[in-house]
Amino acid sequence: GAGVSQSPRYKVAKRGQDVALRCDPISGHVSLFWYQQALGQGPEFLTYFQNEAQLDKSGLPSDRFFAERPEGSVSTLKIQRTQQEDSAVYLCASSLRGPPYEQYFGPGTRLTVT
Amino acid sequence: AQSVTQLDSQVPVFEEAPVELRCNYSSSVSVYLFWYVQYPNQGLQLLLKYLSGSTLVESINGFEAEFNKSQTSFHLRKPSVHISDTAEYFCAALLGGTSYGKLTFGQGTILTVHP
C-alpha cells in the first residue's frame, strides 16, 4: 500500500515568504507527527496530532510555525515569514495508534531559505 | 533533559568486517528504543525496536541490538557488513512513558562500508 507522502519534496523560499508543506499519512493512521531535521542532526519533534486534535505543539520553535489537520487525515505545516534558520528537512510520520505502534516516515520536504 | 546520544558521528569499515554503532539514552523511567536507517534521498525506515521482553532484538538483514538497562545503552551490531549497509543510522527513544509516541532522536551515525 501507499506510504506517507510529502509535497513538495524541495522548496526554496526567499526570506520573509510564507510556505506550506503538505503531508499525506497512511490511510487510517490516527497519529501524525512533524519533525524538523537540520543538516547533520537527528530529527527533532515539532508537533503531534491524534486525528484532528493537536495534542502537543511544544516543539514548534516560534509562533511563525503553525500546523493543522482539519479532517484527521492530510496535515499542513505552515511557516510564516521564513528565516534562514528555518532551512531544514521537515519530516512527517504517521502511526496506526500511539506507542508502541511503528511510526512510518515520509521522504521529507527540504526547505531552503535564501 | 532526557536525551539520546550516539557517540560516533561517522564509522568507516571494510566490507565483511563487524561493526558496532553506539547509542546511550537518559531516562529513569520506562523506555521504548528504536534504530532507524536513512538511505540517501529516502525517508527513515525502522530497522528494529525494543519494547519489552527479550533484551536482544534482531532485524531481517542481520543487524541486532541489545537493550542494557544498567548501562542505559542500545548499541547496534552486525557481524559482517555489506556495501549496501552504507547509510545513516539513527537511534531513537520514547522516553519517560510518553503516552503518544513523541520520539527523541540521537544525532545520527554515518556508516560507510568500503570494498
Side-chain angles (χ1 to χ4, degrees):
Chain A
V4 178
S5 61
Q6 293 185 245
S7 60
R9 289 292 311 276
Y10 303 91
K11 177 69 179 177
V12 178
K14 291 186 178 179
R15 191 163 62 101
Q17 283 185 329
D18 297 349
V19 298
L21 313 179
R22 177 186 170 105
C23 172
D24 285 84
I26 294 172
S27 178
H29 278 198
V30 168
S31 300
L32 186 144
F33 303 81
W34 283 98
Y35 294 86
Q36 180 190 58
Q37 186 176 15
L39 188 64
Q41 301 294 319
E44 293 191 357
F45 170 82
L46 292 177
T47 187
Y48 161 72
F49 290 86
Q50 184 178 83
N51 296 307
E52 69 278 4
Q54 188 175 21
L55 299 186
D56 188 337
K57 52 182 181 179
S58 62
L60 296 176
S62 78
D63 58 8
R64 297 185 295 104
F65 286 71
F66 171 76
E68 60 184 6
R69 193 186 185 198
E71 297 179 356
S73 55
V74 171
S75 177
T76 304
L77 176 66
K78 297 178 179 178
I79 309 173
Q80 297 177 327
R81 305 180 303 281
T82 52
Q83 304 294 316
Q84 282 194 321
E85 60 264 28
D86 300 334
S87 295
V89 175
Y90 291 85
L91 299 169
C92 176
S94 70
S95 69
L96 186 60
R97 296 278 190 272
Y101 288 90
E102 176 181 348
Q103 292 185 29
Y104 293 84
F105 282 80
T109 294
R110 181 177 298 277
L111 172 66
T112 303
V113 181
T114 60
Chain B
Q2 295 173 330
S3 64
V4 174
T5 302
Q6 292 180 243
L7 299 169
D8 306 295
S9 59
Q10 297 192 47
V11 174
V13 294
F14 287 106
E15 194 173 16
E16 298 183 3
V19 70
E20 178 181 80
L21 307 184
R22 296 179 292 170
C23 173
N24 288 86
Y25 65 93
S26 67
S27 176
S28 59
V29 294
S30 62
V31 60
Y32 297 144
L33 294 162
F34 306 83
W35 276 98
Y36 283 85
V37 59
Q38 187 173 37
Y39 299 101
N41 297 315
Q42 294 187 27
L44 292 164
Q45 300 173 33
L46 182 66
L47 190 60
L48 46 74
K49 60 185 177 185
Y50 169 77
L51 304 179
S52 63
S54 173
T55 57
L56 184 66
V57 291
E58 299 178 351
S59 73
I60 59 173
N61 58 350
F63 283 94
E64 64 179 30
E66 186 163 18
F67 170 59
N68 188 318
K69 187 175 182 179
S70 63
Q71 297 186 4
T72 61
S73 68
F74 191 55
H75 301 330
L76 181 70
R77 302 183 181 95
K78 189 170 185 180
S80 176
V81 294
H82 303 289
I83 297 288
S84 59
D85 293 324
T86 295
E88 188 161 19
Y89 293 78
F90 291 94
C91 181
L94 294 178
L95 298 171
T98 304
S99 62
Y100 51 78
K102 167 184 168 181
L103 287 169
T104 299
F105 284 86
Q107 301 90 329
T109 299
I110 297 173
L111 173 64
T112 304
V113 181
H114 297 285

